[in-house]
Amino acid sequence: MSSIFEGFLSTLEVQEAFGDRRFVAAMLRFEAALARAQAATGLIPEGAAKSIIGSCKVELFDVPKLVRESGRAGSIAVPLVRSLKEAVGLFNPGAVVHTHFGCISQDVVDTAMALVTREALALIATDLDHAIRALLGLAERHAATPMLARTLMQPASITSFGLKCAGWVAPLVRSRQRMLVAAERALQLQLGGAVGTLAEMGEHGPRVASLMAEELGLRAPLGHWQTQRDEWVALGCELGLLVGSLGKIARDMALMAQFEVAELAEAYEAGRGGSSAMPHKRNPVGAMVALAAAQRAPQRVAALLQAMPQEHERALAHWQVELAEWPQLVMSAHGSVRAVAQVAGGMQVDPARMAANLEAVRASLPAEAVTVWFAPDLAAHAARLAVTQIAAARADWAKATDNVASALHQRGSPQQAGSGR
Amino acid sequence: MSSIFEGFLSTLEVQEAFGDRRFVAAMLRFEAALARAQAATGLIPEGAAKSIIGSCKVELFDVPKLVRESGRAGSIAVPLVRSLKEAVGLFNPGAVVHTHFGCISQDVVDTAMALVTREALALIATDLDHAIRALLGLAERHAATPMLARTLMQPASITSFGLKCAGWVAPLVRSRQRMLVAAERALQLQLGGAVGTLAEMGEHGPRVASLMAEELGLRAPLGHWQTQRDEWVALGCELGLLVGSLGKIARDMALMAQFEVAELAEAYEAGRGGSSAMPHKRNPVGAMVALAAAQRAPQRVAALLQAMPQEHERALAHWQVELAEWPQLVMSAHGSVRAVAQVAGGMQVDPARMAANLEAVRASLPAEAVTVWFAPDLAAHAARLAVTQIAAARADWAKATDNVASALHQRGSPQQAGSGR
Amino acid sequence: MSSIFEGFLSTLEVQEAFGDRRFVAAMLRFEAALARAQAATGLIPEGAAKSIIGSCKVELFDVPKLVRESGRAGSIAVPLVRSLKEAVGLFNPGAVVHTHFGCISQDVVDTAMALVTREALALIATDLDHAIRALLGLAERHAATPMLARTLMQPASITSFGLKCAGWVAPLVRSRQRMLVAAERALQLQLGGAVGTLAEMGEHGPRVASLMAEELGLRAPLGHWQTQRDEWVALGCELGLLVGSLGKIARDMALMAQFEVAELAEAYEAGRGGSSAMPHKRNPVGAMVALAAAQRAPQRVAALLQAMPQEHERALAHWQVELAEWPQLVMSAHGSVRAVAQVAGGMQVDPARMAANLEAVRASLPAEAVTVWFAPDLAAHAARLAVTQIAAARADWAKATDNVASALHQRGSPQQAGSGR
Amino acid sequence: MSSIFEGFLSTLEVQEAFGDRRFVAAMLRFEAALARAQAATGLIPEGAAKSIIGSCKVELFDVPKLVRESGRAGSIAVPLVRSLKEAVGLFNPGAVVHTHFGCISQDVVDTAMALVTREALALIATDLDHAIRALLGLAERHAATPMLARTLMQPASITSFGLKCAGWVAPLVRSRQRMLVAAERALQLQLGGAVGTLAEMGEHGPRVASLMAEELGLRAPLGHWQTQRDEWVALGCELGLLVGSLGKIARDMALMAQFEVAELAEAYEAGRGGSSAMPHKRNPVGAMVALAAAQRAPQRVAALLQAMPQEHERALAHWQVELAEWPQLVMSAHGSVRAVAQVAGGMQVDPARMAANLEAVRASLPAEAVTVWFAPDLAAHAARLAVTQIAAARADWAKATDNVASALHQRGSPQQAGSGR
């Protein structure tokens, strides 16, 4: 998924999470879980299940060939299932008919997408925690550092840099919380069969679904979600919201890093943010990545919402649209949160310059305006607010990450999400 | 807000909710609550508060004039506050200085928007309940009515119309639930003052906010949300998701109402859905409204997300963008849910035609395909699924509406949301 | 169309152009032209045409009532045609059957939209010329005014303010040109009848269309464009492009107007751009309007493009979507161009501050970087470029407006577009 | 660029056009042309130019490594220029300093994007011509084939299938024409240097640009277009419009291919459009591809428009957004036009079923409605219209492709666009 045109707007890790190999491996996890569950319920023979499970190893497959064939087939599932059946047939011809039994392409693709998305969300959660930690640290260190408050891009009054940081961090903590809820709902097994009724599995459908969900660490929905995508798209919306909140931070940072303002700078890192032509430049490339995501994600969310009115029991094009847009949204989101985490972690703050900018405004205004809007005690006031808000954010963050831990514990899938604080 | 170009895509009720008069009234509720709270905390004299509260009556204001003046001022709050001060000054000149004390335009406009949005959400909740009730009724009556399952717009196998209805209703119930959560978070008092610090109110800011929130039945956030819009936009996302789920129903209905399919029809209503030129036509105008909303809402959500990276303590343009887009999204959403509720309530279902279409497919296929994919017991299977899913939806719906009731009870604001089941 | 939520993002003139009354008047122009043309071709009696034409006066109609009725009817054309027939019937009952003969709602609505859009485009063209003139003036005056060139929001090298202005103006001139071409194609008569065949008019359809187009000053397309909207949406794209180019200017201006940069300021105008709470503030409200448009227009264009795949001979919802989105796009565009024209016309430029910012950068860099990237002769180089680009822009602008004049001359509809330079 | 998630929504050819290797090759064409032009104007020594040109061979570069490094560098140009300098330095160390002289990353990337886009447009033009030819053929064969005209997804009256095809083809011909104009403007050399002034090349900048443009077959703009993207985005809009017009065709086809309507079918092709689970199904996968593009392209266009307000002399993020979105838009467009061309070329039309559907409507209506709206001579009327419109489309198409030919001739770059009729 690394592209010459946008690789630098994302991260290697999340590109790998949605890489061809990992996706094929996730599809094979589905097929193995299916066989195991169907054997357990007696739908297919134990021996067949063993053969199928034994073949569900990504190293047995020619992934680039599958990708090439998917172009013509119109789906990655079609060549994968064909290859899997061939592999199964080599050793146990009788098991071929039991492979991918009662399923449809969308079942395996949607479930695989949930599995790789879970990994991507864990990456996002980890970097989000890094960003929160760094910003809370800045907020604490600079709770009482006075600076200009600016509205409509003009100086307005006084705030403190710590209060500004507290304002940045609060929506990140809320995103941490809401994303968890949304992910709990969205990361579901897909198992509907040809038209959503699991008809071929007779009465065993629900039991198969429940066993598979258990094994894969996904939620088992009542029924399927082949054309009812609200919980999935709701997770997409959460990613859009996160990217928006990160974009606000990046925009503020880019403005504060302007030469004439100079209140902040991104940490210098060799080979990054330089200009080949102009060695004197130091570009805020972290902010750039987050701002790019903030421009792109809204359009991705719009595409997902637009694709919701899916026709009948499986739509013509809507699902394919969603499939194409989804990884890009998640990859943008990780690019953004990683960039903000790095910038926040290394941010160079210049309180003297903040004070100087403030003084310059004071000097430019009539005394009465200064008395009202730039009085020194306004900074102390902001500092007290900052302390309250930092404490609240810390408490909410602790709760959010505790919830993750307990949610994961119940699920027995410790790999599901990022580390705690 | 009724426009020649889109009035018919919304409802009169929701247009009135966002009408100029109601919005001005909501702003005056803010100003009155502010005065009362500031008097209670001693920030302004009791007498001044009384004068201000006495002037906060919408019938004292020339609303069209305010609207005209807002064009030049760039904000509705500027002329309103000026008019309010004039009104207060007529009887109590000393109270003028205590009017709108310590606030900024965004405080009153955001809070007023929360108040009118709450009314609009109540309208949406009511019609959503109507839609859910009607669809559940259809699902029950037709749990065992066999019909074609169609994928990629081609016949695939058998389902039942009841199961299809159950599939339609489930995301509506989830929306009912998620919207409640999102509204609880989003319907907040805005009170930040000039730059979000409430500096003019000194130590009394939090107490003023808490009293005002209590009076207005809104949540009191820690701090303000002048440039951190994630919870507000999250509510917008929920509306987008609802409109998407309604759009899926409308699309299916429009397809099933085609002359050649003829499995459904919208109830005939004089003066609606006719064609002036072609009296023989009966247009699915309910579906039209919901489909139009489903095409428009994603772009509105994208605009809200795009506006999130707001600069510093108040953005240049982003907030204005949000303000302009928001009412349109909510109005679209009510238009859509009302339309689906009406269509579902009067829907004419033709089981005979469903059976005939099914038979035609059977007749066109080789025997083996019929045996596997169109066996009669598939309908019974679908019927059993439908019964399970209907029961689950009823239970979830009951929970969602109970939550509303209890949430409202705690809040003591019975007008906040729609009626129960 | 003036709304409390977005009136200030547009202009009174363009709001009036899309106002209910003007739109009804435009629909009546269509009906009168239709009657005249049908009488000329013998399709309806001369006497009937006279009665119809005599009734096509907007002052005879209760416009607010039509708007209210349009909500239920799902179209403004249905109540209008009904009212028109009633009016015609009062004096000439026999003419009722000849009223709106052979037409469908979309014919009258699309044509009326083309007529009011033409007026709006004339407003846009006029203000665009003002903006171009003002920016060219600035470019000339400041061709040799050195200033910082900034890339990725960091100082990079030297340019001149005149060259910057020349860069701003060039896309406006191109928009002027491309919009003309797009408008020539898009401002078409719509006349397709019930299903696009004009069947009721028999062999006379093309002649009726040609006479009507002549009278209304619109292009007569071969056939109709009821579901083939490419030329109409292409005009919408041009508006989106214009708004984007204006947004770039506004963004640069807002950045340069920051207190710490202070190279530009919007002219002060009483009652505009002030803050009720903070009298010391001077907000760049012109830039705000243009930036708001630049955030909203892309979503409107997306909605228009999304609505293009219209079903069969008239779509369910797509056309209604377009109808609702279109006026908002045009109104945004005029708000933006008016704002930029005003700001450009009154812009306060501070060459001394430009020089000081430049010096400050020079002082901060190692000598070698200064020698290469901030050498004084770079300003002279930029000045020469500016002179060349200004001359080219002037020449292109002259050509663009000459084309307008000649195009209008051939058409004989001098009211079609804005004045020249 | 082939992705497991969307490869099947595009074509191998256009994926290759935007492939890493081809893009690097295009960048090297820029560098070679730059060296040649700079040598011709005396800016660099002839010997250095020869060394540089000799190294500008894609086979000398490790493309995957460049892609990997671009992630960290934030641009593909940075590692490419570094590698190029290394290669040059191996044989002619003195030429290193003359490599990429006076240029910036954006110059080489934008120009390379124009070069590969030109190839992609040629692919689009070729398939567009195929689609036009096939649809015109269908229109002629079926000019007099009666079928239902449908409005708001209900039968309305009679048209002919040929007239429907003529309606489909007209916007494609217009797109053919408009795209040419837009491409002529958009396919420009980018050469602005560090801040758009080409300062390092002194007086020779314009001459270097003109020589390079000549060699590369691109337009030489006056100045640069580093932050003025209107002509480039205008080309993107044209692609969006094309995809919209193709989407309309696909939607109609999908509706007509429904089992219950059965007026059309896509040609059967082994391994395409089948369902692994349900062998009886024949899915309209061509329509699917075009419909998917029609849902995605509007969001891409919105992203391009949203990215237009670029800050100062090079934006922070906007250009990167454009770079990421552009190839996806072009690839979608080719996927769509190829799909429609293939479907149109093999379309199976069932006039008997069209007649039967018509008869069924006739049988369902009162006699008077039949007399007016379903009279047999309406088909003849439609046939006559079809003949006129087909002739006009043929004439316009001939003109459009002649223009291409002559445009290319003047340019001397025969590879620029697709073949003629």
Side-chain angles (χ1 to χ4, degrees), chain C residues 223-237:
Chain C
H224 66 98
W225 48 290
Q226 289 179 347
T227 54
Q228 303 292 359
R229 315 294 289 184
D230 60 308
E231 307 206 87
W232 188 245
V233 179
L235 176 57
C237 288

Side-chain angles (χ1 to χ4, degrees), chain D residues 47-64:
Chain D
K50 270 190 193 140
S51 295
I52 297 165
I53 293 164
S55 296
C56 285
K57 293 184 169 53
V58 71
E59 55 273 22
L60 301 177
F61 292 80
D62 181 346
V63 174

Side-chain angles (χ1 to χ4, degrees), chain A residues 188-230:
Chain A
Q188 306 178 79
L189 176 75
Q190 180 66 284
L191 196 70
V195 297
T197 59
L198 281 187
E200 284 195 296
M201 303 190 201
E203 297 312 295
H204 300 293
R207 176 89 181 119
V208 169
S210 144
L211 288 170
M212 288 181 72
E214 178 79 14
E215 174 173 342
L216 298 171
L218 298 173
R219 196 157 77 86
L222 183 77
H224 66 99
W225 49 288
Q226 290 178 348
T227 55
Q228 303 290 359
R229 315 294 289 186
D230 59 308

